[in-house]
Amino acid sequence: MQPEVVSPTGTSAGAASVWVVDRLARSLGEHARDWDALNESILGGHPLLTSTFVNGLLGCFGDDSQHLCRLVDEQSRLVGACILQRGRLGVWRSFLPAQAQIGPTLLSSLDEIRALFTALPGLAQAIELLCLDASLPPLGRPLPGRVQVMHHTATISVDLQGSFDGFWGTRPKKLRENLRRYQRLLDDAMPGVQVQLVREPNAVRIAVHSYAELEGRGWKGLEGTALGSTPEQLRFYEELMVIEAEAGRAFALELRQGPRLLASRLLLSGPTMVVTLKTTYDEALRRFAVGRILLKSLLEHLFEHHQGRSLEFYTNATSEQLRWAQHERSVVHATLYRDRLRSVAASLRARIVAERRRADPAPALEGLVSTEVRWVTSSQQLQPCERALLDAGETESFLGGSGWFDLFERTVMKQSDGACYATLARGGLVKAVLPLNRDPPLLRTGGSIGSLANWYSTRWLPGLAPGTIGADLVDLVEQLRVGLGRPPRLTFAPLLAGSRELAVLHDALVAGGYRVERYVAHGNWHLPVVTDWTSYLASRNGPLRSTIKRMTRQCLERGGRIEVIYDGARLEAGIEAYQAVYARSWKQAEPQQDFMPEMMRWCASRGWLRLGVLWSGEKPVAAQVWVVAHGRASIYKIAYDEAHAASRPGTVLTAHLMKLAIEEDRVHEVDYLTGDDNYKRDWMSHRRELHGLVAYDIRQWRGWWLWFRARASTSWRAWRTRLSSARGAPVTARDRASAASAAAPEGATPAAPHRPTPGA
């Protein structure tokens, strides 16, 4: 195995990382150990990507044309890898025999593949990475330029959390009733049927041969695709299962009546998952559904002995199989093109094909997984599973659950019918819930239609099921275009930079034919809490520590007191005190007067409210609204009486609430939400950004014109910034943002000029 080509790359793996391409001799050879370590670090030790599995594929189905592409850093450590083979017309694609359920690709990001074009032998024009799991790297972040993603299959999984009875109780009633009926029929017709777990290596070898014999008697045997149809295939599964059984990572589950095998499943286990490798049943016993009975027994066993993992099917799931699943996601093919021309041509071909399918859909096939897009005009009309998907976002931010959007509707949107929710489900499993606004004048979005958010929303969190990628939402994007009256522009903000939500929406809009621009909505200062209050205070700058100590002492000497209200009888008095302080502060009046009182009542009902009030005698002089939820303290609103500014009441109150959050609430993060004010840097330690996406529908002239005008404006400001820098003239923050946008690397989503967002 000799290195053929080496090429440098400036990927996230490191500036000195290089691609090394080796021709394989039907084995990973000396690289097997590094391959396993990389699989462990990137994918947690995926059972279908171990060196044992890959070596089996290469040894049984390889033909010496496979190439191991290794990305190594400056310390010669393996940081990325894939196995490719040359196709026609300069196309390289993953080595993917029929026995491989996912492709042999170990990458943290698709950006890492760019420099591989120059490392491959010959003139590589495209690289096809086949069968990538949408829930795993390298997917899950915005796709780089010149990439086309195509849906291949829909796979399913079950989380092995809790008890089997709890899981089974959530399955459709019809499924549970049918299984009881099938079990009774089987018990009456074939007494003595038992489930057998096979783990010992030699017994596993026998189980593989029994499996091959049973499958060979069915339709797969007639088609020549059964496990034992070829010597190579039988050898692959036999050697794989025996080797993994010796390591305690493989087993078979069989349904037998004495010596007769009724159904069988071959499984591999890993640190995070158990994978169904093969499944078959006696087709003469179809009326008893022995395959489903065995699946139920398998789940009972896994819930008892493999808690905390997941059961992965890696199959092209039918509507029947989806009844068993908790999650559904795509397995996709990703094609990366060497130059923009080929990428554009491929995108146009894909768009034409998609348009033809929409215009002339094929007749529905039995068992085909259907996609459904649904619209409702209130969060109360969402189904329980749809609300649950939104509520999952609460762990990221208290603004992410259905309760927040309930509040938003009844306060901000109370005089409008603009709120709506677009949901997408596939095979009955909800994939996405997008809270949207169709009333731009109310929310001052400049005519754009998009996220259900305004200045009260420091972050917008749509509901996305695990494993959802942009390609899954193309139908939803098309319905947005049609259902909202073909708006020329869509706006989604604010989304956390680097978040999965931003990546999925960006890729979905691009795949749906929009031109997408990204801008900085606002900065966000925050503090990861890793210490106690005393150590935290000691880490702050001297002037802040001195101010806290001096002003707190003066406040107490003058009879001041601090009250923190959580709920109960003092809640309404606290709200009244907050409003009195706010009215005497420097801040403008609230656009929706009843929002903050209702928001505080809602937080109090959830146990999240920390309403701090600093009193001077009987007069409130400072008030702050903190929200403590899921281990995160969010500083939502602050205000103080300007007449008392000299005594620094805001600083005194912030220090008290910060100490409370660290010592009593024991939060893992304090979040100042929006804004880059200098005083926030004194309290916090880290800064991140929230971005917005603006999508222009260039299929219509209004959308094209808006996009052209925005790009021209950005280019003009970037040119003006460079000219000002050359002349030594002062450069504004807006111009610096434009320059950063213009200097973005090829394929990156450009950032539009900074747009200040009214915040807390």
Side-chain angles (χ1 to χ4, degrees):
M1 188 164 27
Q2 296 296 326
E4 293 187 349
V5 184
V6 176
S7 178
T9 176
T11 69
S12 59
S17 298
V18 296
W19 280 102
V20 180
V21 180
D22 304 316
R23 184 184 293 272
L24 292 173
R26 303 201 178 195
S27 169
L28 290 171
E30 61 183 348
H31 302 297
R33 181 174 296 180
D34 289 341
W35 177 279
D36 283 331
L38 186 62
N39 179 26
E40 181 70 30
S41 65
I42 295 180
L43 301 180
H46 199 294
L48 300 183
L49 290 174
T50 62
S51 62
T52 302
F53 195 96
V54 173
N55 279 337
L57 293 175
L58 289 167
C60 295
F61 311 108
D63 57 6
D64 297 328
S65 68
Q66 288 73 44
H67 290 69
L68 174 62
C69 305
R70 297 181 294 121
L71 183 64
V72 295
D73 64 12
E74 54 189 354
Q75 284 83 37
S76 299
R77 295 173 301 188
L78 187 66
V79 294
C82 58
I83 299 177
L84 304 178
Q85 56 190 18
R86 193 198 305 260
R88 295 181 178 179
L89 302 177
V91 176
W92 286 75
R93 57 176 55 91
S94 299
F95 170 57
L96 195 77
Q99 293 73 20
Q101 291 155 286
I102 59 175
T105 300
L106 297 174
L107 294 171
S108 298
S109 168
L110 287 178
D111 286 310
E112 296 174 343
I113 210 78
R114 290 180 182 276
L116 183 55
F117 281 102
T118 56
L120 289 167
L123 185 61
Q125 301 297 337
I127 299 174
E128 296 180 353
L129 299 178
L130 305 177
C131 288
L132 301 178
D133 187 332
S135 67
L136 302 175
L139 301 176
R141 59 184 66 191
L143 296 175
R146 305 195 297 274
V147 176
Q148 181 181 345
V149 173
M150 181 178 68
H151 173 84
H152 174 56
T153 60
T155 186
I156 55 177
S157 64
V158 173
D159 291 332
L160 303 174
Q161 305 283 352
S163 67
F164 171 78
D165 290 338
F167 160 78
W168 192 241
T170 64
R171 297 305 90 202
K173 182 179 179 181
K174 185 176 180 181
L175 174 64
R176 290 180 280 130
E177 291 176 345
N178 286 342
L179 262 293
R180 284 195 296 268
R181 179 169 56 86
Y182 290 137
Q183 187 68 62
R184 287 196 302 268
L185 290 173
L186 183 63
D187 291 341
D188 292 341
M190 304 182 67
V193 172
Q194 294 182 334
V195 177
Q196 296 183 5
L197 177 66
V198 184
R199 283 192 175 278
E200 194 273 327
N202 191 53
V204 167
R205 185 192 307 274
I206 296 172
V208 171
H209 283 270
S210 298
Y211 181 104
E213 181 182 353
L214 178 60
E215 191 173 62
R217 297 200 301 264
W219 65 269
K220 287 188 177 181
L222 296 175
E223 289 190 352
T225 59
L227 187 148
S229 294
T230 64
E232 294 81 9
Q233 181 157 261
L234 180 59
R235 178 164 63 93
F236 168 73
Y237 285 109
E238 179 183 354
E239 292 179 354
L240 171 68
M241 290 294 293
V242 170
I243 292 173
E244 295 288 45
E246 290 172 346
R249 296 191 297 263
F251 62 95
L253 201 68
E254 299 178 333
L255 191 67
R256 285 182 175 272
Q257 185 193 39
R260 182 180 179 183
L261 181 63
L262 312 183
S264 177
R265 283 181 177 263
L266 307 180
L267 300 109
L268 295 176
S269 65
T272 62
M273 66 180 71
V274 178
V275 177
T276 295
L277 192 62
K278 295 286 287 182
T279 179
T280 192
Y281 65 92
D282 190 335
E283 294 178 18
L285 303 176
R286 186 188 301 271
R287 67 185 185 280
F288 299 119
V290 289
R292 299 179 197 176
I293 290 174
L294 183 60
L295 175 56
K296 182 172 180 286
S297 298
L298 171 65
L299 286 164
E300 290 175 329
H301 169 78
L302 294 179
F303 269 96
E304 182 177 355
H305 298 284
H306 294 266
Q307 270 286 318
R309 304 182 190 184
S310 64
L311 173 62
E312 302 290 343
F313 288 79
Y314 283 114
T315 182
N316 191 12
T318 65
S319 56
E320 168 63 30
Q321 291 171 320
L322 282 167
R323 298 178 184 178
W324 296 80
Q326 291 173 316
H327 307 294
E328 180 269 354
R329 63 182 185 274
S330 293
V331 174
V332 303
H333 301 325
T335 304
L336 299 90
Y337 295 92
R338 187 186 188 100
D339 56 60
R340 188 175 299 277
L341 179 61
R342 288 176 175 81
S343 174
V344 171
S347 298
L348 289 175
R349 287 197 302 270
R351 194 170 299 168
I352 291 171
V353 171
E355 292 289 351
R356 287 177 177 174
R357 287 176 178 172
R358 278 191 285 266
D360 186 22
L365 300 177
E366 183 179 358
L368 185 69
V369 178
S370 60
T371 299
E372 177 188 6
V373 177
R374 198 170 76 94
W375 295 83
V376 296
T377 56
S378 169
S379 60
Q380 299 297 324
Q381 298 172 348
L382 293 171
Q383 298 173 356
C385 56
E386 295 166 341
R387 289 183 68 90
L389 188 57
L390 273 183
D391 290 340
E394 278 189 356
T395 58
E396 293 291 324
S397 171
F398 74 94
L399 304 102
S402 59
W404 168 262
F405 292 107
D406 292 341
L407 171 71
F408 200 85
E409 283 183 40
R410 69 174 183 266
T411 55
V412 178
M413 305 293 290
K414 61 183 179 179
Q415 296 178 344
S416 167
D417 59 355
C420 68
Y421 297 81
T423 70
L424 181 138
R426 190 153 62 199
L429 295 178
V430 182
K431 299 284 290 181
V433 180
L434 303 187
L436 301 171
N437 166 46
R438 298 177 298 176
D439 190 13
L442 177 65
L443 298 187
R444 302 179 184 177
T445 55
S448 295
I449 294 177
S451 51
L452 185 61
N454 73 342
W455 47 82
Y456 292 122
S457 308
T458 60
R459 184 175 175 184
W460 179 68
L461 274 163
L464 296 175
T468 301
I469 61 172
D472 296 329
L473 304 186
V474 172
D475 289 340
L476 180 57
V477 168
E478 183 61 26
Q479 288 300 315
L480 288 181
R481 176 184 280 115
V482 176
L484 296 178
R486 298 189 67 85
R489 180 173 58 191
L490 301 173
T491 302
F492 299 97
L495 293 153
L496 185 64
S499 67
R500 187 172 70 96
E501 294 81 17
L502 179 68
V504 171
L505 282 173
H506 172 274
D507 295 341
L509 292 165
V510 170
Y514 285 88
R515 287 292 177 90
V516 183
E517 305 292 336
R518 188 166 70 195
Y519 66 92
V520 178
H522 57 77
N524 168 223
W525 284 89
H526 61 105
L527 171 76
V529 179
V530 295
T531 184
D532 57 18
W533 163 253
T534 303
S535 300
Y536 162 75
L537 188 60
S539 68
R540 300 300 92 196
N541 61 57
L544 179 61
R545 295 198 308 270
S546 175
T547 300
I548 292 173
K549 182 178 180 180
R550 186 177 70 257
M551 292 304 176
T552 300
R553 184 182 66 250
Q554 292 180 10
C555 174
L556 296 176
E557 290 173 350
R558 295 170 182 172
R561 60 185 175 88
I562 294 176
E563 179 183 16
V564 180
I565 300 169
Y566 298 80
D567 53 22
R570 289 289 297 165
L571 177 59
E572 294 304 320
I575 293 174
E576 183 178 344
Y578 165 83
Q579 291 178 312
V581 171
Y582 194 90
R584 297 193 298 270
S585 74
W586 71 98
K587 296 192 172 185
Q588 298 179 355
E590 295 282 2
Q592 276 77 37
Q593 291 293 322
D594 57 347
F595 174 79
M596 283 304 301
E598 286 298 312
M599 185 264 189
M600 286 185 272
R601 295 183 186 108
W602 171 67
C603 288
S605 70
R606 303 290 300 271
W608 295 348
L609 181 65
R610 306 293 184 269
L611 173 55
V613 181
L614 175 59
W615 298 85
S616 178
E618 297 302 316
K619 181 181 180 181
V621 296
Q624 296 186 8
V625 178
W626 288 42
V627 181
V628 178
H630 301 286
R632 180 179 290 104
S634 301
I635 308 174
Y636 190 73
K637 283 282 188 177
I638 63 174
Y640 61 83
D641 188 336
E642 285 191 282
H644 293 259
S647 61
R648 307 294 293 273
T651 301
V652 174
L653 186 54
T654 298
H656 183 86
L657 291 172
M658 182 74 75
K659 182 179 181 181
L660 180 70
I662 293 174
E663 291 196 339
E664 295 190 16
D665 291 316
R666 297 187 178 278
V667 299
H668 61 75
E669 182 182 80
V670 180
D671 190 347
Y672 235 130
L673 300 177
T674 64
D676 282 312
D677 309 87
N678 288 331
Y679 70 87
K680 295 180 180 178
R681 306 183 187 192
D682 295 337
W683 296 94
M684 304 290 117
S685 59
H686 293 69
R687 182 186 182 275
R688 57 196 170 201
E689 291 182 343
L690 283 94
H691 290 182
L693 297 175
V694 184
Y696 299 92
D697 186 0
I698 59 173
R699 300 186 192 182
Q700 51 174 302
W701 72 267
R702 290 188 304 161
W704 183 90
W705 169 247
L706 289 171
W707 170 77
F708 175 79
R709 190 175 64 179
R711 292 301 298 160
S713 176
T714 300
S715 299
W716 162 250
R717 284 194 295 270
W719 178 83
R720 189 178 62 185
T721 300
R722 290 194 296 269
L723 184 62
S724 299
S725 299
R727 293 176 176 176
V731 180
T732 66
R734 186 181 182 91
D735 289 339
R736 281 195 296 269
S738 298
S741 173
E746 184 180 1
T749 308
H754 175 71
R755 303 181 182 183
T757 301

